[in-house]
Amino acid sequence: MVVSEPGLTDAYLRTPRAAGLAGIIFSVLLFAVFGLMRLSVPADPFEQGAWLAGDTTYVTLAMNLVPFAGVAFLWFVGVLRDRLGAREDRFFATVFLGSGFLMLAMLFAAAAVVGAIIVAFHAAPELLIHSGTFHFGRGLAYGMVNIYLAKTAAVFMITTSTIAVYTRLTPRWLAFGGYAIAAVLLFGSSYFDGSLLAFPLWVLVVSATVLWDRQAA
């Protein structure tokens, strides 16, 4: 039989207060990633890669920020689950976690593809630009972000908003706002450039609301 010290388990399992800032940190980092990428990489997936011959410092910095944004998002999900507690439903919890993990997988994979393109260009500049490999990698990263990441982010927002409606996890207006933004991502992410920025903005507002409720409590 294992005997633990009194209060030790509670101390280790208690959610840190700083975790309430995780969603805000994720939002800021994701804004920074998208902003730095837009400064160097054209939005057109059919571009010829002229940006690779220039300064790629912004792109490299953006790629290095992605892992930190991913960790912050995991903390944000943990904060929401901690706030739900025993009210968490198994069905919605599965979709909630699954869509969040898929979204992070798409974000990490797209960042890895862009990083690989940069490394391959520096290894053989002329060979890469005039090959189908560059266009394949460019299209792959574009599809991961604008199609798959956007759609899984929309599913995450719909699930979170549904949970919020029934459990009052967030204010009702914020839950219905999540539905509206999710609809834009589901049907308009391929047509409206920058629409994906609505997701970190929504996470920022949710995190601020949760943090405010904790301070009030």
Side-chain angles (χ1 to χ4, degrees), residues 133-187:
T133 304
F134 166 74
H135 298 287
F136 172 79
R138 184 71 174 85
L140 180 62
Y142 178 86
M144 283 181 175
V145 173
N146 291 277
I147 299 176
Y148 298 101
L149 190 152
K151 300 303 185 284
T152 51
V155 174
F156 178 83
M157 294 176 66
I158 291 172
T159 309
T160 307
S161 297
T162 303
I163 294 174
V165 168
Y166 286 100
T167 64
R168 298 186 179 181
L169 177 66
T170 65
R172 190 171 291 267
W173 64 267
L174 186 54
F176 288 112
Y179 286 131
I181 298 174
V184 173
L185 292 181
L186 276 177
F187 304 106

Side-chain angles (χ1 to χ4, degrees), residues 44-82:
D44 184 11
F46 299 103
E47 52 90 17
Q48 299 300 312
W51 58 275
L52 286 168
D55 187 8
T56 57
T57 302
Y58 288 153
V59 182
T60 304
L61 178 59
M63 297 303 98
N64 289 326
L65 289 179
V66 167
F68 297 100
V71 172
F73 182 76
L74 290 177
W75 278 68
F76 168 71
V77 172
V79 168
L80 293 184
R81 293 195 66 194
D82 176 71

Side-chain angles (χ1 to χ4, degrees), residues 15-39:
T15 303
R17 291 187 178 183
L21 297 172
I24 297 176
I25 295 173
F26 165 76
S27 302
V28 172
L29 289 177
L30 202 60
F31 275 123
V33 169
F34 289 152
L36 291 170
M37 288 292 294
R38 186 58 67 238
L39 288 175

Side-chain angles (χ1 to χ4, degrees), residues 78-131:
V79 168
L80 293 184
R81 293 195 66 194
D82 176 71
R83 188 174 174 83
L84 281 173
R87 296 175 297 169
E88 187 177 59
D89 179 80
R90 291 181 180 179
F91 172 78
F92 285 107
T94 301
V95 182
F96 171 74
L97 289 174
S99 58
F101 292 155
L102 283 174
M103 193 202 72
L104 282 187
M106 293 298 104
L107 179 63
F108 276 56
V113 171
V114 174
I117 290 175
I118 295 175
V119 171
F121 175 80
H122 287 295
E126 294 299 327
L127 182 62
L128 177 69
I129 290 298
H130 299 290
S131 69

Side-chain angles (χ1 to χ4, degrees), residues 194-211:
S195 61
L196 191 56
L197 291 175
F199 175 69
L201 180 61
W202 177 81
V203 172
L204 178 65
V205 177
V206 171
S207 299
T209 303
V210 171
L211 195 61

